[in-house]
Amino acid sequence: MNEPHNKVSISPVGENKPRIDAREKVTGAAIFADDLQFGSALLHARIKRSPHPHALIKKVDVSKARALPGVKAVVTGEDFPGYIGLYLQDRYIFCRDRVRYIGDPVAGVAAISEEIAHQAVELIEVEYEVLPPVLDPEFGASAQAPLLHPDLAKYVVANFIFPEGGTNISNHFKIRKGNVEEAWGQCAAVIERKYHVPHIQHVPIEPHVATARVDETGEITLWGSSQSPFAQRNLIAQSMGISQSKMRVIAPFVGGGFGCKAGVSMEALAVAIASQVKGRPVKLLLTREEEFYTAFVRQGLTAYFKIGCDEKGRLLAMENKFYWDGGAYTEYGVNITRASGYSSSGPYEVPNIKTDSYCVYTNHPVGGPMRGFGMPEMHAGLEQCIDELAHAIGMDAVEFRRRNCLKTGSVLVTGSQMHPTGLPQCIEKAAEAIGWGWKAAPSAPNKRRGKGLALMWKAPAMPPNAGSSAWVELAEDGSVSVGVGGQDIGQGVFTVAAQMAAAALGVPYESVRVATPVDTRYSPYEWQTVASRLTWSMGNAIVNAARDARQQILKTVSEAWEESPNDLDIVNGVVISFKTEREIPLKNLVIYGLPKPDGQGWRGGPVVGRGSFMPTYVTGLDAETGQGERAVVHYTTGAQAVELEIDLETGRIEILKGVSAFDVGKAINPELVKAQMEGGFVQGMSSALFESLQLRNGAVQNPSFVDYRIATAVDAPKDLQAYIIEVPQDDGPWGARGIGEHSMVPTIPAIANAIYDAVGVRLDGPPFTAEKVYLAMVDAGIIQ
Amino acid sequence: MIRNTHPTLPEFEYIRPQSVGEACDFLTRHAADARPFLGGTDVFVRMRDGVLNPKYLVDVKALPGMQEIRFDPQSGLTIGAAVNMNRVIAAAETREHYPLLADACRSVASYQLRSRATVVGNICNASPAGDTLGACLAFNGVLHIQSSQGVRQELLSNFFRGPGKTTLQTGEIAAALFLPLPHAGSQGVYIKLGRNKLSDLSLVGVTALGYPDPGAPSGYRFRLILASVAPTPLIAKQAEDCLAAQPVTPASIQEAARLASEACAPIDDVRGSARYRKQMVKNLSARALTSVWEKLNRRGQNDISSD
């Protein structure tokens, strides 16, 4: 579809161009949302939050808070009747009748200082009728569980989400393919396992921050750390009952997102409070503690797998049941349930498969998108079962994967066919790099070594018609400005945007700038910076915009030179003719056009290219079978392998080596692709070894870095390798597809498989802390 | 329950007295709402968390002698209360005579935090997890405590009374830590088990120190002090005695480690279970004592060869 080949190959695509934002960020010059200055008009907001996981609100008394000097506004749910949510509108901005998690916002205060706002919050008195909570998704899905959203059946919902009214199940995604019951009889081995993956946090360095101002006419401006300025414009405008054109979102650099700054979360609180103090900006900055329990968390998962194969190792059947701990509101999480359902085979061809993926309301923190969008959680168990199945029939685990993995043309779990994929090459590369089949001696007598490997697949999970747009504008000196609505959240997409614009237009990378910050008033539309979709989707829009600009330029020049545009090209910022060898630099011509001979006027004019992209081919899936023509736009596939060492005296795991191999279609910037693979590995490793939100009666016990440990540089393996496989995507720019999330998907099972290889124990879920590993070894009689 | 933490530090008045007398006087007069502070690495965090709410913070870092680190070859090392851990680590005297203390300091938090954190502050904070407490106890540290009545000296082994609790009285200021000269040939090890490699609190900490002592039946004396497994830093006396009483062998080291594990009384908390901690005391005590024993033997050989 989009193959913008220049005739002369001096393209910056495929080159390791330096990051466009490196200097700003390294020198500290980059502006983040908390850096913005609003002068003395600024008010500070703090939020009164529910101390109960589940309760009815009987009374909210804000009179004392209102009376505190310095307080300018106090708002409650009474003031904001509109629902909000991305795929399922199940949430009020402030609670109105019921609280559903510890931290649920009940009231908000704007005051002249953060401390006064804090004091005012303490003065708000709320009377609750405490209700029994739901603290486990399996229980939550049962008929015995108290109902958390009695109005579920009435909520506005996307047409591919299936809530079950009268229950706590906000989405039930089903796969019914082949005949599982008949297949079990043909299996030589069947593995049945249960895994639990705990909630974790994204822990960006920069906490959520939003500043909102509502002017006298009701127009809203929101400055925030955001992955989704356009989705915020749309959803907040809808909830507040105003036109999208009256809502403006400005999004400076983001200090880490990983999904938690997608959709809408605390931003709506700042807007709602600001609406009561017109003309004054109101700033809400989450504390680190609030970041842990009130921002989106990665949902917990209880997963059941039953997987069988024949004696030759051919996968015959799978029966999977996923209970997603969606938390208090599942407006975003419902689609994680769906994504894990339509990917529930893992990257394998399985003729018979039955899956039930349930999104369940609980009284836990709100689940939302996190790097991998359900795939790390699902693969954590699935890829261990694959290892166990291979062992059960006496086959090498890599050979087993070779035989069963998706190849080009394989039939997928949803019934369609796999597009060209380099998954088999990824397996070979990862196995070779880790030295599969060869075991080194441990570094000390009290240590044991092991190796493990795991595969993954993941598609962008989004509505079928998530769109992108871009513009390309040229200045007097021929330099190029690219307008995008996607966000650089550290992944480097602005750099890639500039590379693609430069290549598609025919100018040097160095003369391209990205028009930032993203501002919904001036930037072109982008659905959200999620789903690893920008390089592919926004990339296509950029290419289309650059092509549009290019056509405008070539038309002007071809008319002036009286040549065919087909004989012209733009190379290195200069229009050249292959036929006449004439040339003219872009500068000046792209603003002023070109004079006609003998003072007879001018042609051309300022060049602005526009482009957009939206997939038009994704079909719906049958609600009962999950079968359909094309469930998703594409799948990125890959493999990871690890070598680790376990200390028998402490249970402590040292990851010695990590290897990643992913098929990215085409690496627009190979170093950035490798950085994603390395970063994803380390984050995956961190979730495998350390991370867990410890929930007790709905309360997060470790809402700070003191007791929520994440991997630091010294925990990362010294030997971290990344391999790029390139089997092009038919509709990707230069064949590219996404890589941002995928690199943390197979890390948990790769490590789990290596633990088994080292000491012969399997744990029921991450994190594989030293304590868990040690006690499991004791309980298994491996050590005393 | 989730605590509603302050968005920033709550308001307080900052007091910087010029003399010990002035400081002690202020602290006495405002007994209920004044607190002395050094680096602030614990106090500020707890104020933000709403656990402490002092009206006055009395910065005692500028008082005479607080910034001094002084070594007397005849008696030992005096570390002023305001000397930060990075200075303790960098001091040549620490490295030469008390390398165990430098190692313990190095295990605390991060370099940045150690530019604020002090050993005396670590002691006064009296957390059972305090990483430097074991080394200071092993060296028979003495705290110099000033008040309007003058200076009193308190053996560290008497100082700790519970988590966050010490014998420090209202109006008193810990001014310095004195570490007597270590016994000739001393070798020490601090093993900290954190959840990840860097900057964690100790799940279990084991401080071991050994030195030749012709007066002991085994010819050696050992100190073994455990962190995070009791309300205060725990001196594993039976384990220490065990290795003095019988020849030091792999078996007697295992026996001492077992005794240490029996002596401790860890709890289940968010960081780890009592069961795991107890086992780790055993394994890491054995590891620490073995390491000290190897160092003692190596040292012996070196001494002979260098003589």
Side-chain angles (χ1 to χ4, degrees):
Chain A
M1 209 163 120
N2 283 310
E3 293 197 14
H5 292 298
N6 285 331
K7 289 172 186 163
V8 179
S9 68
I10 48 169
S11 159
V13 157
E15 300 212 344
N16 296 320
K17 291 298 180 188
R19 285 185 68 125
I20 207 164
D21 52 352
R23 176 170 288 273
E24 268 173 288
K25 284 182 174 168
V26 170
T27 57
I31 299 292
F32 295 83
D34 188 39
D35 297 327
L36 299 171
Q37 298 296 312
F38 294 90
S40 57
L42 183 68
L43 297 176
H44 299 267
R46 297 295 298 150
I47 306 298
K48 178 75 176 179
R49 299 181 180 282
S50 166
H52 304 294
H54 190 200
L56 295 178
I57 300 174
K58 305 312 276 185
K59 196 177 150 201
V60 185
D61 182 353
V62 300
S63 54
K64 285 182 194 159
R66 279 220 171 97
L68 186 71
V71 171
K72 299 296 177 188
V74 184
V75 306
T76 67
E78 295 250 306
D79 308 314
F80 307 100
Y83 279 105
I84 193 165
L86 187 69
Y87 295 106
L88 170 71
Q89 295 189 6
D90 67 353
R91 186 171 192 188
Y92 292 119
I93 295 177
F94 285 97
C95 297
R96 288 168 64 81
D97 51 346
R98 188 190 287 257
V99 292
R100 296 183 176 88
Y101 73 99
I102 294 176
D104 219 352
V106 175
V109 173
I112 55 170
S113 77
E114 264 188 315
E115 190 56 29
I116 291 174
H118 173 77
Q119 287 165 13
V121 160
E122 304 277 281
L123 293 174
I124 296 174
E125 290 164 10
V126 187
E127 215 176 282
Y128 295 101
E129 180 188 330
V130 175
L131 298 174
V134 173
L135 303 172
D136 174 84
E138 262 189 280
F139 170 70
S142 73
Q144 291 74 44
L147 216 51
L148 304 188
H149 286 261
D151 290 336
L152 174 58
K154 296 184 209 154
Y155 291 159
V156 175
V157 62
N159 65 4
F160 47 88
I161 302 297
F162 307 112
E164 297 184 350
T167 76
N168 288 322
I169 298 168
S170 55
N171 189 19
H172 180 185
F173 183 90
K174 299 177 206 170
I175 293 282
R176 303 287 183 267
K177 178 173 188 280
N179 190 327
V180 173
E181 291 312 318
E182 276 179 18
W184 297 128
Q186 300 155 35
C187 291
V190 176
I191 294 288
E192 271 191 271
R193 292 287 179 267
K194 178 186 178 184
Y195 296 95
H196 179 70
V197 183
H199 294 77
I200 63 171
Q201 245 302 347
H202 310 67
V203 292
I205 291 176
E206 177 203 35
H208 282 69
V209 54
T211 305
R213 188 184 61 209
V214 181
D215 71 16
E216 287 304 325
T217 66
E219 293 218 7
I220 300 171
T221 308
L222 170 67
W223 297 261
S225 176
S226 173
Q227 297 178 228
S228 307
F230 287 90
Q232 291 178 347
R233 176 181 74 172
N234 182 31
L235 298 178
I236 295 174
Q238 276 184 42
S239 182
M240 300 288 289
I242 62 165
S243 159
Q244 281 83 351
S245 66
K246 294 186 88 175
M247 172 88 203
R248 176 183 180 190
V249 183
I250 300 171
F253 277 125
V254 174
F258 309 108
C260 70
K261 292 168 183 168
V264 177
S265 52
M266 51 74 82
E267 300 79 14
L269 300 172
V271 170
I273 299 169
S275 71
Q276 307 297 305
V277 275
K278 291 227 167 75
R280 298 195 72 165
V282 174
K283 179 173 181 176
L284 178 60
L285 169 64
L286 294 191
T287 63
R288 181 56 68 178
E289 290 84 352
E290 287 178 305
E291 190 69 30
F292 271 103
Y293 66 94
T294 74
F296 281 134
V297 299
R298 189 171 89 177
Q299 303 178 126
L301 170 65
T302 301
Y304 293 87
F305 296 95
K306 183 177 179 186
I307 307 183
C309 66
D310 66 17
E311 73 283 352
K312 288 185 183 138
R314 204 168 66 94
L315 279 171
L316 292 185
M318 265 190 198
E319 190 171 344
N320 304 332
K321 221 173 239 187
F322 305 146
Y323 293 94
W324 292 95
D325 188 336
Y329 306 97
T330 61
E331 45 111 349
Y332 210 135
V334 285
N335 201 33
I336 298 171
T337 300
R338 180 175 193 266
S340 61
Y342 66 60
S343 308
S344 58
S345 59
Y348 300 101
E349 182 162 348
V350 187
N352 304 288
I353 178 159
K354 178 183 177 196
T355 300
D356 289 281
S357 184
Y358 300 98
C359 189
V360 186
Y361 284 124
T362 64
N363 296 110
H364 281 154
V366 182
M370 181 173 175
R371 195 177 196 177
F373 208 66
M375 296 303 113
E377 303 94 296
M378 184 195 85
H379 283 73
L382 193 142
E383 275 296 278
Q384 292 190 67
C385 291
I386 293 292
D387 247 41
E388 290 201 68
L389 205 52
H391 295 156
I393 58 153
M395 186 179 284
D396 174 79
V398 167
E399 178 57 26
F400 189 91
R401 288 183 168 88
R402 267 188 205 114
R403 293 191 183 189
N404 287 289
C405 79
L406 293 174
K407 289 134 195 134
T408 305
S410 294
V411 179
L412 302 181
V413 49
T414 50
S416 56
Q417 283 199 335
M418 186 65 185
H419 54 72
T421 178
L423 180 57
Q425 294 97 300
C426 294
I427 299 176
E428 296 315 320
K429 200 71 224 178
E432 179 198 328
I434 204 70
W436 188 256
W438 180 78
K439 206 160 178 170
S443 65
N446 61 345
K447 296 191 173 173
R448 295 289 178 272
R449 274 198 187 198
K451 288 178 184 173
L453 182 142
L455 310 186
M456 66 75 62
W457 73 331
K458 184 191 179 297
M462 56 189 193
N465 57 341
S468 297
S469 57
W471 49 251
V472 165
E473 190 180 43
L474 287 94
E476 287 87 343
D477 61 352
S479 63
V480 177
S481 187
V482 184
V484 295
Q487 182 65 290
D488 200 312
I489 57 172
Q491 82 281 49
V493 77
F494 287 168
T495 305
V496 165
Q499 283 181 261
M500 293 196 291
L505 192 56
V507 300
Y509 167 74
E510 291 71 20
S511 60
V512 180
R513 281 293 162 268
V514 179
T516 57
V518 175
D519 179 336
T520 58
R521 179 177 283 179
Y522 306 114
S523 305
Y525 177 82
E526 181 64 58
W527 180 60
Q528 296 194 88
T529 300
V530 296
S532 308
R533 56 183 281 282
L534 285 196
T535 299
W536 166 77
S537 180
M538 192 174 93
N540 278 332
I542 291 168
V543 167
N544 289 337
R547 243 192 215 161
D548 183 22
R550 186 183 156 84
Q551 274 163 10
Q552 294 171 35
I553 294 164
L554 293 186
K555 179 169 184 288
T556 302
V557 176
S558 70
E559 284 171 10
W561 289 354
E562 293 176 344
E563 290 193 48
S564 160
N566 296 332
D567 293 328
L568 305 181
D569 196 2
I570 307 175
V571 178
N572 216 14
V574 178
V575 182
I576 57 168
S577 164
F578 293 110
K579 201 171 171 186
T580 60
E581 296 189 5
R582 286 178 78 174
E583 57 176 64
I584 179 171
L586 288 178
K587 61 180 183 179
N588 297 333
L589 123 79
V590 290
I591 296 288
Y592 305 120
L594 290 174
K596 290 180 180 167
D598 308 323
Q600 293 302 302
W602 294 74
R603 56 179 112 238
V607 175
V608 184
R610 56 156 292 278
S612 62
F613 175 78
M614 186 182 88
T616 51
Y617 45 72
V618 175
T619 64
L621 298 176
D622 184 90
E624 289 310 311
T625 65
Q627 303 298 293
E629 212 167 293
R630 188 161 176 186
V632 299
V633 291
H634 58 253
Y635 280 97
T636 296
T637 57
Q640 269 176 353
V642 300
E643 181 176 18
L644 53 73
E645 199 163 70
I646 299 177
D647 185 331
L648 297 180
E649 291 172 2
T650 60
R652 190 122 175 206
I653 294 171
E654 166 119 33
I655 308 290
L656 302 170
K657 181 173 179 175
V659 176
S660 299
F662 288 86
D663 175 13
V664 302
K666 167 73 185 177
I668 305 297
N669 184 318
E671 277 306 320
L672 285 180
V673 168
K674 287 182 179 176
Q676 283 303 304
M677 290 194 207
E678 291 168 4
F681 182 94
V682 174
Q683 193 168 18
M685 181 196 101
S686 187
S687 70
L689 300 184
F690 308 123
E691 296 185 39
S692 160
L693 275 185
Q694 299 186 36
L695 287 157
R696 194 194 299 155
N697 296 326
V700 176
Q701 303 295 303
N702 53 340
S704 84
F705 287 121
V706 176
D707 287 314
Y708 186 96
R709 306 303 299 172
I710 60 172
T712 68
V714 290
D715 296 300
K718 290 189 183 72
D719 190 355
L720 202 47
Q721 301 179 6
Y723 297 94
I724 295 170
I725 308 295
E726 294 178 318
V727 174
Q729 186 62 36
D730 62 353
D731 70 344
W734 290 270
R737 60 176 88 81
I739 181 61
E741 301 167 276
H742 312 82
S743 48
M744 85 175 271
V745 173
T747 325
I748 292 173
I751 288 174
N753 290 339
I755 292 171
Y756 181 80
D757 186 46
V759 294
V761 298
R762 288 210 180 262
L763 301 163
D764 67 356
F768 312 127
T769 60
E771 165 163 357
K772 269 208 227 165
V773 172
Y774 182 85
L775 295 178
M777 292 192 298
V778 172
D779 293 341
I782 294 161
I783 52 172
Q784 287 185 345
Chain B
M1 251 294 301
I2 293 283
R3 186 175 286 128
N4 190 16
T5 49
H6 290 264
T8 55
L9 270 185
E11 275 182 30
F12 61 91
E13 265 187 65
Y14 174 80
I15 310 288
R16 193 178 170 98
Q18 298 305 310
S19 71
V20 174
E22 193 190 325
C24 295
D25 188 47
F26 189 92
L27 288 166
T28 309
R29 275 191 290 117
H30 300 92
D33 47 15
R35 259 193 95 90
F37 85 102
L38 293 163
T41 55
D42 289 300
V43 169
F44 289 153
V45 173
R46 290 211 233 156
M47 285 170 66
R48 184 182 162 276
D49 285 353
V51 178
L52 296 177
N53 199 15
K55 195 171 169 199
Y56 307 102
L57 274 187
V58 182
D59 186 345
V60 295
K61 291 195 286 294
L63 299 180
M66 296 291 260
Q67 298 283 0
E68 278 177 34
I69 182 160
R70 198 173 62 246
F71 181 69
D72 179 344
Q74 304 307 316
S75 59
L77 182 71
T78 306
I79 301 171
V83 176
N84 71 45
M85 289 188 182
N86 283 335
R87 279 185 63 202
V88 172
I89 294 167
E93 294 86 354
T94 322
R95 291 174 167 219
E96 186 175 350
H97 303 286
Y98 309 88
L100 173 62
L101 178 61
D103 286 347
C105 286
R106 248 183 238 110
S107 79
V108 174
S110 60
Y111 184 88
Q112 290 88 333
L113 258 291
R114 294 194 294 269
S115 291
R116 298 288 304 177
T118 61
V119 174
V120 171
N122 202 213
I123 290 169
C124 292
N125 192 49
S127 160
D131 287 305
T132 64
L133 276 46
C136 296
L137 282 161
F139 288 122
N140 298 313
V142 176
L143 216 47
H144 290 193
I145 298 170
Q146 289 191 308
S147 68
S148 34
Q149 274 81 51
V151 179
R152 75 177 172 95
Q153 305 208 332
E154 177 93 273
L155 263 176
L156 270 191
S157 51
N158 291 329
F159 185 66
F160 303 106
R161 290 297 146 104
K165 293 199 178 72
T166 67
T167 63
L168 214 55
Q169 300 295 309
T170 305
E172 289 188 326
I173 296 168
L177 171 72
F178 172 70
L179 300 178
L181 279 183
H183 296 274
S186 288
Q187 293 292 340
V189 163
Y190 180 56
I191 297 180
K192 170 173 176 169
L193 182 68
R195 288 158 292 187
N196 63 328
K197 276 188 189 163
L198 197 72
S199 78
D200 198 8
L201 299 173
S202 56
L203 203 59
V204 167
V206 178
T207 306
L209 183 78
Y211 52 91
D213 180 359
S218 71
Y220 291 90
R221 290 218 183 260
F222 284 82
R223 304 300 317 275
L224 187 66
I225 296 133
L226 310 171
S228 299
V229 290
T232 60
L234 185 73
I235 300 172
K237 190 79 177 59
Q238 295 92 330
E240 294 178 354
D241 292 346
C242 165
L243 290 176
Q246 51 180 310
V248 183
T249 64
S252 64
I253 285 176
Q254 286 301 330
E255 173 64 4
R258 193 186 60 76
L259 290 168
S261 177
E262 274 179 15
C264 70
I267 55 166
D268 290 324
D269 66 15
V270 75
R271 284 162 213 154
S273 69
R275 181 187 173 204
Y276 180 61
R277 285 189 162 113
K278 236 174 151 56
Q279 303 231 27
M280 288 307 101
V281 168
K282 183 165 146 283
N283 293 356
L284 297 180
S285 293
R287 190 182 281 186
L289 291 166
T290 304
S291 166
V292 167
W293 180 236
E294 283 168 1
K295 281 186 176 191
L296 285 167
N297 289 322
R298 236 187 348 258
R299 177 65 194 259
Q301 287 160 11
N302 288 346
D303 284 351
I304 293 160
S305 60
S306 61
D307 285 349

